[in-house]
Amino acid sequence: EEINDKIGKTYGDFTDFSQLTEFLFDKSKENELIVFFDEVQNFISINPGAFSDLQKHYDLNRESSSLLLLFAGSAYSLVEKIFTGSREPLFGRACEFIRLNYLPVITQKQILEDCGLYSGENLLHAFSIFDGIPRYYEEIFESGENSFEEALKQLIVEKEFLWEEGLNIMREEFGKEYSIYHSILSAIAMGKRT
């Protein structure tokens, strides 16, 4: 739907990521294209071959196409490994890296003030929980809650991406073995202590 809306009508569906990538490179031979992939580290679990597909089509088409691919991800070390790991398919193919820092405490305070949720205690809680990551403040801001506690509760209970962060960190640290550690932590969280 995004492609049909923004780039032009396609006929049929893409059955795999390779077809999508090939289409984007071909289409960019006619007109410049800018394509943004967010949370690119999720390709590892969704379609591990996606990076090899990108490498193949990039290498075949980089001289004849006008495609700017932008990748972003919140799991810093995974994203870094994808583009700088010498054994990874996209090694050496990134033209530019932009590393975004955490929000300074003064900015976090201003966001809470703008939301009408500022207090010293709320800033301490937000800083301790969110660690200055802008995405979480965006969710607090968009919650529309009048109470920091309610906004936080909504974010933790109702938003899945917060829970995915923990899984991403475990995947990053433990690789394929992460499910074992996830099971152990889940059991502990349910009160099993032996």
Side-chain angles (χ1 to χ4, degrees):
E1 289 176 17
E2 281 292 308
I3 289 172
N4 286 336
D5 184 45
K6 304 283 191 307
I7 298 174
K9 189 75 173 154
T10 61
Y11 299 96
D13 293 329
F14 300 110
T15 59
D16 60 29
F17 189 73
S18 182
Q19 287 180 347
L20 169 66
T21 309
E22 183 177 16
F23 170 81
L24 293 172
F25 275 104
D26 285 345
K27 199 73 171 166
S28 73
K29 291 175 183 175
E30 302 165 16
N31 297 308
E32 280 186 359
L33 284 180
I34 300 172
V35 179
F36 179 81
F37 292 98
D38 194 13
E39 299 299 344
V40 69
Q41 74 276 355
N42 291 339
F43 284 0
I44 293 168
S45 57
I46 297 168
N47 181 0
F51 300 120
S52 296
D53 293 336
L54 276 168
Q55 174 199 19
K56 177 178 89 175
H57 294 294
Y58 174 81
D59 289 348
L60 290 172
N61 297 289
R62 70 176 173 204
E63 299 297 326
S64 61
S65 66
S66 297
L67 178 62
L68 175 61
L69 295 171
L70 302 170
F71 300 95
S74 57
Y76 174 78
S77 58
L78 276 177
V79 173
E80 185 176 50
K81 179 183 174 208
I82 289 165
F83 293 100
T84 64
S86 60
R87 295 180 183 207
E88 298 298 320
L90 296 179
F91 173 73
R93 286 167 180 82
C95 299
E96 195 72 40
F97 290 95
I98 299 173
R99 290 176 178 85
L100 300 177
N101 290 325
Y102 297 107
L103 295 173
V105 174
I106 192 72
T107 303
Q108 296 176 54
K109 177 184 178 201
Q110 184 64 51
I111 291 169
L112 290 175
E113 287 175 346
D114 291 349
C115 297
L117 302 175
Y118 175 75
S119 75
E121 184 179 344
N122 288 350
L123 178 60
L124 177 62
H125 287 270
F127 180 77
S128 300
I129 296 167
F130 303 150
D131 198 25
I133 298 172
R135 178 72 175 113
Y136 301 136
Y137 283 96
E138 181 181 27
E139 289 294 325
I140 289 290
F141 189 77
E142 291 177 356
S143 74
E145 294 290 341
N146 295 329
S147 149
F148 178 77
E149 187 176 306
E150 287 302 313
L152 186 60
K153 182 178 174 184
Q154 184 182 59
L155 178 62
I156 292 173
V157 174
E158 297 175 16
K159 302 288 182 174
E160 289 184 19
F161 74 87
L162 190 61
W163 297 105
E164 290 172 10
E165 290 293 321
L167 288 175
N168 286 336
I169 291 169
M170 289 197 317
R171 283 187 191 109
E172 188 178 323
E173 294 296 322
F174 302 117
K176 293 177 183 175
E177 304 293 320
Y178 88 92
S179 61
I180 295 168
Y181 297 97
H182 181 259
S183 296
I184 293 168
L185 289 172
S186 295
I188 292 169
M190 289 187 277
K192 298 186 169 125
R193 301 290 189 263
T194 57

